[in-house]
């Protein structure tokens, strides 16, 4: 692989290799090893056209922990504001001998376009409503750590499916790994994922019943024109996950969320801060997974 643009076209074997490599990286992180030599002499630029905390910082830390020169470029503080095109911006960074370009963009397909115009390896840090492959990989890594295998694991994904790039990458990845994925959302925010090997649940209770992992999704108000559900309080009442819903899940089921969470909307505070929550572990695993991706994309 030269680029990581999405999980749609990544094989089960490639996903397994990324997760296995991330397991080695996590061992080093837990030993507080933060100066590995693998990216010495490499330059990583994070090019973000949308806000981010977890993705941008964990890519930057992963690059620095592996001895790369890491530069962050925020589009809002760059010549993009003077009208420079995406391709011209990418080419400008490319001629500075960039090896890895991590990009987040509000337009679906933007990293795919960029990858055709630069020599650097392009990693998709989230493109519009399309994919967020590294988030799904860190989600799968977290689940595999808990369950030992993804084969046969029951995963419920509840929330704003329509706008969610996280849901799409997770469906592509998890179904390839043999997990049973079940989705539930307001009907105005649904997608026909049954055509891609997932199950579309009839109700929230149907989705979470017997699930080994319950993943809440953020309501993406920035991508909505409004009117897709009556109010935030009704959304949380009918589509939110709380202790009552988690009682229907499998014993020892885990609660996940890609973040940032709207507390009390997608998940109750009791669930976010409860013993079943692995949300903080997802964040830590994100660094290990991104280190693994850097390693594998630059490996000769
Ligand atoms: N999960 C995720 O993409 O979070 P950020 O928007 O903070 O990067």
């Amino acid at each position: 692989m030269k680029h990581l643009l999405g999980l749609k076209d990544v094989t089960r074997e490639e996903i397994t290799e990324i997760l296995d490599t991330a397991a080695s990286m996590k061992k080093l992180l837990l030993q507080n090893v933060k100066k590995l030599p693998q990216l010495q002499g490499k330059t990583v630029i994070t090019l973000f056209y949308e806000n981010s905390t977890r993705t941008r910082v964990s890519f930057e830390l992963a690059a620095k922990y592996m001895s790369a020169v890491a530069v962050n470029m925020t589009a809002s503080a760059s010549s993009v504001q003077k009208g420079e095109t995406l391709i011209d911006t990418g080419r400008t960074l490319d001629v500075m001998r960039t090896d890895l370009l991590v990009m987040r963009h509000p337009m679906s397909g933007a990293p795919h376009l960029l990858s055709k115009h630069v020599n650097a390896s392009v990693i998709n840090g989230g493109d519009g409503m399309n994919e967020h492959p590294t988030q799904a990989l860190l989600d799968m890594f977290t689940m595999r750590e808990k369950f030992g295998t993804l084969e046969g694991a029951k995963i419920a994904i509840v929330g704003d499916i329509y706008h969610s790039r996280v849901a799409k990458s997770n469906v592509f990845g998890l179904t390839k790994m043999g997990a049973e994925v079940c989705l539930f959302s307001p009907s105005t925010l649904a997608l026909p994922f049954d055509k891609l090997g997932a199950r579309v649940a009839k109700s929230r209770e149907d989705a979470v019943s017997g699930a080994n992992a319950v993943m809440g999704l953020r309501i993406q108000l920035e991508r909505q024109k409004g009117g897709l559900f009556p109010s935030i309080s009704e959304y949380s009442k009918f589509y939110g996950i709380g202790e009552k819903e988690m009682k229907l899940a499998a014993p020892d089921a885990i609660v996940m969320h890609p973040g940032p969470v709207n507390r009390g909307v997608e998940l109750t505070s009791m669930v976010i801060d409860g013993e079943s929550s692995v949300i903080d572990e997802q964040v830590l695993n994100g660094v290990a997974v991104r280190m693994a991706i850097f390693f594998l994309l630059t490996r000769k």
Side-chain angles (χ1 to χ4, degrees):
M1 269 198 299
K2 163 121 171 117
H3 308 288
L4 178 62
L5 303 174
L7 295 191
K8 192 170 176 222
D9 300 317
V10 174
T11 64
R12 179 181 172 124
E13 290 67 34
E14 286 167 329
I15 292 173
T16 303
E17 187 175 24
I18 294 169
L19 301 187
D20 290 346
T21 309
S24 307
M25 296 298 178
K26 185 166 178 186
K27 272 190 199 140
L28 294 165
L29 275 181
L30 292 177
Q31 291 163 27
N32 227 15
V33 178
K34 293 181 184 168
K35 214 62 197 166
L36 298 165
Q38 286 91 343
L39 291 189
Q40 214 154 30
K42 303 282 183 203
T43 301
V44 177
I45 297 188
T46 50
L47 171 59
F48 274 54
Y49 287 77
E50 266 187 10
N51 295 342
S52 168
T53 299
R54 281 147 279 268
T55 311
R56 192 186 67 70
V57 174
S58 64
F59 267 119
E60 193 173 334
L61 286 178
K64 287 181 171 163
Y65 290 167
M66 298 174 82
S67 306
V69 172
V71 176
N72 170 48
M73 204 195 103
T74 307
S76 60
S78 74
S79 290
V80 168
Q81 294 307 313
K82 299 174 190 166
E84 190 167 55
T85 66
L86 169 64
I87 292 170
D88 285 341
T89 301
R91 279 198 185 132
T92 302
L93 301 177
D94 202 46
V95 294
M96 295 184 204
R97 306 192 68 79
T98 304
D99 299 286
L100 293 145
L101 256 174
V102 182
M103 188 173 74
R104 171 170 288 189
H105 200 283
M107 189 187 87
S108 298
H112 306 67
L113 176 68
L114 184 69
S115 70
K116 293 186 172 67
H117 294 274
V118 294
N119 292 313
S121 288
V122 176
I123 302 172
N124 182 357
D127 64 322
M129 290 158 48
N130 182 37
E131 281 219 46
H132 193 348
T134 61
Q135 178 67 46
L137 286 164
L138 75 89
D139 293 338
M140 286 191 275
F141 179 85
T142 307
M143 293 178 215
R144 197 181 75 157
E145 256 194 341
K146 296 290 170 198
F147 314 144
T149 177
L150 293 170
E151 191 74 53
K154 291 185 167 56
I155 317 299
I157 305 180
V158 179
D160 181 354
I161 304 288
Y162 184 80
H163 297 100
S164 177
R165 51 200 180 200
V166 176
K168 291 176 191 86
S169 287
N170 263 301
V171 169
F172 290 133
L174 283 164
T175 52
K176 278 177 198 174
M177 300 306 288
E180 293 172 27
V181 187
C182 186
L183 302 119
F184 183 65
S185 65
S187 57
T188 48
L189 294 171
L191 278 178
F193 268 126
D194 42 347
K195 294 192 174 72
L196 293 175
R199 186 169 80 83
V200 178
K202 292 179 180 60
S203 66
R204 171 179 56 181
E205 289 67 27
D206 174 27
V208 300
S209 285
N212 301 109
V214 177
M215 185 188 297
L217 293 176
R218 186 173 67 84
I219 305 177
Q220 309 227 350
L221 292 172
E222 74 274 24
R223 296 189 211 285
Q224 298 180 14
K225 292 189 180 72
L228 295 174
F229 51 87
S231 68
I232 295 285
S233 64
E234 270 154 320
Y235 182 93
S236 71
K237 187 170 170 198
F238 295 111
Y239 303 98
I241 302 293
E243 287 188 308
K244 187 160 76 74
E245 287 70 37
M246 286 311 295
K247 283 202 173 82
L248 299 172
D252 301 329
I254 57 172
V255 176
M256 308 180 75
H257 194 293
V261 187
N262 292 306
R263 258 179 198 271
V265 180
E266 299 111 21
L267 303 175
T268 63
S269 274
M270 291 287 275
V271 162
I272 295 168
D273 301 323
E275 278 186 5
S276 311
S277 170
V278 295
I279 296 171
D280 287 348
E281 262 176 272
Q282 285 175 267
V283 175
L284 172 66
N285 292 340
V287 181
V289 163
R290 286 161 181 137
M291 287 169 78
I293 290 161
F294 283 152
F295 173 72
L296 293 170
L297 288 181
T298 55
R299 185 179 55 169
K300 286 277 179 286

